[in-house]
Amino acid sequence: MASATTPDGDTLNGSPGGADPDRGGGAGGAHDRRLQRLRTLALVGPAGSGKTTLAEALLVQAGALKQAGSIEKGNTVSDADPLERRMQHSLQTSAMHLDWQGLRIHLLDTPGAPDFIGQSLPALEAVESAVVVISAQGGIELMAQRMMEVAAQRERARLIVINKIDAPEVDLPGLLEQLQQVFGRECLPLNLPAAGASRVADCFFQREAAADLTVDFGSLENAHRALVEQVVEVDAGFVERYLNDGDVPATELHAPLEQALREGHLIPVCFASARSGVGVPELLDVIARLLPHPGEANPPQFLDGEGEDARPLRPRPDADRHVLAHVFKVQSDPYLGKLALLRVHQGVLRRNSQLYVGHARKPIRASHLFLLQGKEHVEIDEALPGDICALSRIDELHYDAVLHDAQEDEHLHLAPLDFPAPVHGLAISPARHGDEQRLWDLLRRLVDEDPCLRLEHAAQTNETLVYGLGELHLRVLLERLQEVYKFELKIQPPRIAYRETVAAPAEGHHRHKKQSGGAGQFGEVWLRIEPLPRGGGFEFIDQVKGGTIPGQFMPAVEKGVRQALEQGVIAGYPVVDLRVVVFDGKHHSVDSKEIAFVTAGRKALMAAVREAHPMVLEPIVQVEISAPDHAMGDITGDLAARRGQVNGTRSLVPGVMTVLGLAPLAELASYQNRLNAMTSGQGRYTVALSHYEAVPPNLQSQLMAAYKHLDDDE
């Protein structure tokens, strides 16, 4: 493709993104100037840190909004969903934009609850900069750590905003020190609170103008020196100049400063209060003067091809190249249909242009192209590299889709994000008989919006199963079904994602023979199964010789085997980590049909599993529990009683400890209620799948006894 890179993933023709050190980028002209006036950023961080309120303050300061809304009144730009307003928390990523000093700034406000990380992580793929918002009251929480880590992995520039600096009894110097301990000494303040947190004093760009302010802690001179020394370290020429002259003007440090941001050598820290507006104008100036435009930032991590053969490719934000855009979010509206939010990485996306989705051969037409301001849609004619926009009413679009207009780009995709596995499950059924298909369609629509939701259908019990990251995650899904789509539901208790496997090799055999007048059915299969290492998946091997099972029937045998794996054998859960080798069988020249070999393959597999020392596996999750330190004894004792183990503890904020451990997911049902009781409502916890291991014998006996196998042939 025109935007190719070297096999090592290095962009050809210049620095990352094709940028020149003087904030250039691209081939010049109007599009180049437009690119330089563009900034894209995502507000990320824990719930309650004030991201949505900060977004309101930025919009008001830039004149994009006359008056700031509030979360309590439910009238903010980004929290437009009725559930968000009622729950007073962001539940999905919202796109906004503003203009400041001749710049266009695209802004994404993301949810902060760990259950909705499937909304937050993809936002990082659409921006150059991650603005991590941390509450001066709450300190460094787990979500802030997670987003800092992922932003570093995806090579985003990072900026930390300490919000709520005017809240009572906050320890700002202590928090800054903790930031440096947790995230590194490269976390350096660009400004410092002054006059009792009623103002902020610039340490870098306008240090002289702030000299008459009395900072609340630290020293402007020391902070300035630390910043300059950190920046010049990336450029030997500036190091020599700094050593000789004692200082380098900030206006001359743009190129090394951008390099330091790209490499993570500098993580600027700003202080602000979104409620009062303190530090908000200064934050906008930092965004404008410091954060990179698309031509300066590290290019996104695209891959050409799949698996080990995939080759890194870095698109360039050049309007004259092929169109390349990525869908980072989809959402469905009962009235407006599907809306896909996308980032244009290359080329110009024009209204009514023809595009292809991945390797699809049928083009789509971009009939309606929008710029979003929360729930407001502004139709536009074109989107340039770096723009964040939306397309509506195109069913072919889905999360992670790549849009392009050149055939050679059909195998491009972004390097996959590492999402946590959904392990909390519910069985859902419609309140009214006959609504099963509508329930499935609605759930599929909602699951398509969130990569951390999974939908399954248990054929043997005719249950619809939905899995998410936690109780809140699933509760929001159910409330959306009931409130937005007016669908009445019946909910079953949480269902754990158990799995089945085997511990030893075994053989299985089944002869399927049915004669009921006319043509009959005949198929016979011999197979051998072998356990694979945990996480090994499934392998199907054909070792039949002599044509005892004709080649045209082998796909039917595999289909039957897969059916048995999906429905389970001993307890009704999917069978995993298995190699299946079909080595013999028989057929009949007249009566052998696909359906016969499907049945024979399924029942031969079931017979083999029963002889191979089958076992039930349960999900073991990594659990992180944050709570007041006085409750640690109760928490660790309770975790041990739940078959868990404590692997360590740490303290990031005075008075608050975090317990790290492992526990069976089945033992954590309604754990938040128990945690509330032990911590007077001050405890929080998150889980992430660690691995699967065998359940205790007594639990396996209970699961097997509860399972009633429904065979459609018997």
Side-chain angles (χ1 to χ4, degrees):
M1 59 178 283
S3 57
T5 65
T6 68
D8 294 329
D10 298 325
T11 306
L12 296 177
N13 189 24
S15 58
D20 294 325
D22 61 354
R23 221 169 173 81
H31 286 157
D32 184 37
R33 291 191 295 274
R34 164 71 174 79
L35 185 75
Q36 296 175 40
R37 294 196 296 267
L38 189 63
R39 306 288 183 272
T40 63
L41 57 104
L43 299 178
V44 297
S49 60
K51 299 184 298 298
T52 298
T53 304
L54 181 59
E56 290 286 303
L58 293 170
L59 291 171
V60 171
Q61 183 66 39
L65 194 62
K66 291 183 178 179
Q67 184 177 357
S70 72
I71 294 173
E72 294 77 13
K73 294 179 180 178
N75 59 350
T76 61
V77 171
S78 58
D79 286 355
D81 183 87
L83 281 179
E84 291 179 313
R85 292 175 173 176
R86 179 167 61 79
M87 301 181 71
Q88 298 189 0
H89 279 291
S90 297
L91 304 176
Q92 55 188 345
T93 294
S94 181
M96 294 158 282
H97 63 277
L98 56 90
D99 296 319
W100 179 254
Q101 298 179 351
L103 303 178
R104 166 59 54 85
I105 299 174
H106 289 287
L107 179 66
L108 299 179
D109 180 25
T110 69
D115 281 14
F116 302 104
I117 200 169
Q119 291 281 329
S120 302
L121 291 184
L124 296 177
E125 305 288 42
V127 298
E128 271 66 55
S129 303
V131 177
V132 183
V133 184
I134 293 175
S135 167
Q137 294 173 300
I140 304 171
E141 299 183 47
L142 297 176
M143 193 65 170
Q145 297 178 63
R146 173 67 169 148
M147 299 310 292
M148 284 286 285
E149 291 169 0
V150 176
Q153 293 167 4
R154 307 304 276 196
E155 301 177 323
R156 304 298 89 190
R158 288 171 288 168
L159 170 69
I160 295 175
V161 174
I162 298 179
N163 191 23
K164 306 181 183 181
I165 61 173
D166 50 2
E169 299 181 3
V170 295
D171 180 10
L172 297 180
L175 180 54
L176 180 59
E177 179 63 28
Q178 290 167 16
L179 286 174
Q180 294 175 339
Q181 291 175 357
V182 175
F183 301 126
R185 306 304 297 184
E186 56 267 27
C187 295
L188 296 173
L190 279 177
N191 54 44
L192 288 170
S198 64
R199 300 182 63 180
V200 295
D202 193 321
C203 306
F204 190 61
F205 295 112
Q206 299 175 337
R207 176 171 51 105
E208 295 78 7
D212 59 336
L213 292 176
T214 302
V215 296
D216 295 343
F217 67 91
S219 159
L220 282 178
E221 185 63 34
N222 291 341
H224 175 78
R225 186 181 301 111
L227 281 167
V228 173
E229 290 177 354
Q230 190 75 8
V231 170
V232 300
E233 280 183 358
V234 303
D235 190 307
F238 278 106
V239 170
E240 183 176 357
R241 181 176 169 187
Y242 177 74
L243 293 175
N244 292 333
D245 300 344
D247 196 11
V248 180
T251 54
E252 300 181 31
L253 287 175
H254 182 78
L257 194 149
E258 293 300 331
Q259 181 181 347
L261 286 173
R262 282 198 304 269
E263 297 175 355
H265 191 68
L266 173 65
I267 303 173
V269 179
C270 293
F271 291 84
S273 171
R275 287 283 187 189
S276 67
V278 172
V280 173
E282 291 82 358
L283 178 58
L284 276 173
D285 286 338
V286 167
I287 293 169
R289 301 182 66 174
L290 179 66
L291 295 188
H293 65 63
E296 292 174 315
N298 293 315
Q301 303 174 18
F302 274 85
L303 298 173
D304 186 1
E306 301 289 342
E308 296 180 356
D309 297 329
R311 187 167 65 96
L313 288 174
R314 301 281 192 165
R316 291 182 58 191
D318 190 333
D320 296 327
R321 295 179 180 269
H322 301 161
V323 171
L324 197 62
H326 174 253
V327 176
F328 65 92
K329 173 181 168 60
V330 294
Q331 62 188 56
S332 298
D333 187 280
Y335 308 105
L336 300 177
K338 179 181 285 188
L339 188 73
L341 278 68
L342 54 94
R343 159 68 186 260
V344 181
H345 291 287
Q346 183 177 279
V348 180
L349 179 58
R350 294 183 172 87
R351 185 169 58 175
N352 291 322
S353 59
Q354 277 200 159
L355 300 166
Y356 295 89
V357 182
H359 52 72
R361 292 287 183 257
K362 182 180 178 181
I364 62 170
R365 183 174 297 278
S367 301
H368 298 284
L369 190 61
F370 297 103
L371 196 60
L372 299 186
Q373 191 75 303
K375 67 177 180 179
E376 302 297 328
H377 301 172
V378 180
E379 193 149 5
I380 56 177
D381 292 325
E382 65 178 21
L384 300 178
D387 276 329
I388 294 174
C389 56
L391 292 172
S392 67
R393 301 182 184 276
I394 301 178
D395 291 337
E396 292 86 348
L397 294 182
H398 55 86
Y399 165 71
D400 212 27
V402 172
L403 301 180
H404 60 90
D405 61 358
Q407 184 176 356
E408 57 261 44
D409 295 340
E410 65 181 6
H411 297 297
L412 285 182
H413 59 95
L414 272 177
L417 284 163
D418 184 17
F419 290 108
V423 289
H424 288 260
L426 284 177
I428 306 175
S429 59
R432 292 192 300 269
H433 181 69
D435 281 350
E436 287 79 8
Q437 186 59 48
R438 181 166 179 257
L439 172 62
W440 181 267
D441 292 341
L442 290 176
L443 283 172
R444 171 54 60 194
R445 187 182 304 175
L446 295 174
V447 167
D448 286 345
E449 298 179 11
D450 190 332
C452 290
L453 287 170
R454 189 178 78 246
L455 187 61
E456 292 181 2
H457 180 254
Q460 67 274 24
T461 58
N462 199 31
E463 287 182 319
T464 296
L465 308 175
V466 61
Y467 292 92
L469 297 182
E471 298 169 16
L472 177 62
H473 201 192
L474 294 176
R475 178 159 63 88
V476 168
L477 175 76
L478 299 179
E479 291 188 11
R480 196 175 298 282
L481 277 171
Q482 293 168 323
E483 295 186 17
V484 178
Y485 293 96
K486 310 302 180 186
F487 196 92
E488 297 181 17
L489 299 165
K490 291 193 296 185
I491 311 299
Q492 301 299 320
R495 181 180 175 98
I496 304 300
Y498 292 110
R499 296 292 181 259
E500 299 177 19
T501 192
V502 299
E507 290 187 358
H509 163 253
H510 185 79
R511 171 184 286 194
H512 177 73
K513 184 176 182 180
K514 183 177 288 188
Q515 195 76 36
S516 56
Q521 296 180 12
F522 181 85
E524 187 171 358
V525 171
W526 285 90
L527 55 79
R528 179 173 60 254
I529 63 174
E530 304 165 4
L532 291 176
R534 198 75 72 237
F538 167 64
E539 295 179 10
F540 183 85
I541 300 174
D542 175 8
Q543 288 187 354
V544 172
K545 296 181 176 151
T548 54
I549 301 179
Q552 69 265 29
F553 292 127
M554 193 55 66
V557 176
E558 182 175 358
K559 180 179 179 181
V561 166
R562 289 184 178 274
Q563 285 180 356
L565 296 179
E566 290 171 6
Q567 73 184 30
V569 177
I570 62 171
Y573 297 97
V575 183
V576 297
D577 304 335
L578 197 68
R579 177 183 292 120
V580 177
V581 181
V582 180
F583 62 89
D584 202 358
K586 291 182 181 179
H587 74 285
H588 188 277
S589 59
V590 175
D591 291 345
S592 284
K593 299 177 179 62
E594 286 190 3
I595 184 61
F597 279 100
V598 169
T599 302
R602 176 165 56 86
K603 293 193 173 183
L605 188 282
M606 294 169 65
V609 168
R610 293 190 182 105
E611 298 298 322
H613 300 174
M615 65 177 70
V616 177
L617 304 175
E618 65 178 337
I620 305 299
V621 295
Q622 295 174 335
V623 58
E624 296 190 7
I625 308 167
S626 295
D629 49 16
H630 63 75
M632 286 299 105
D634 291 340
I635 289 173
T636 55
D638 182 73
L639 197 61
R642 295 171 182 268
R643 297 193 286 128
Q645 64 183 57
V646 176
N647 293 337
T649 60
R650 64 187 178 201
S651 177
L652 298 178
V653 180
V656 177
M657 294 286 290
T658 298
V659 176
L660 310 175
L662 296 171
L665 179 64
E667 298 288 343
L668 297 179
S670 302
Y671 184 67
Q672 187 63 54
N673 295 334
R674 175 63 179 155
L675 189 59
N676 289 341
M678 291 186 290
T679 64
S680 301
Q682 298 181 63
R684 297 182 183 179
Y685 81 104
T686 62
V687 299
L689 180 65
S690 172
H691 62 280
Y692 273 83
E693 64 181 42
V695 302
N698 62 325
L699 179 55
Q700 176 157 323
S701 298
Q702 294 173 18
L703 292 171
M704 292 174 63
Y707 175 60
K708 294 182 179 179
H709 183 65
L710 302 178
D711 193 320
D712 56 7
D713 287 335
E714 295 178 358

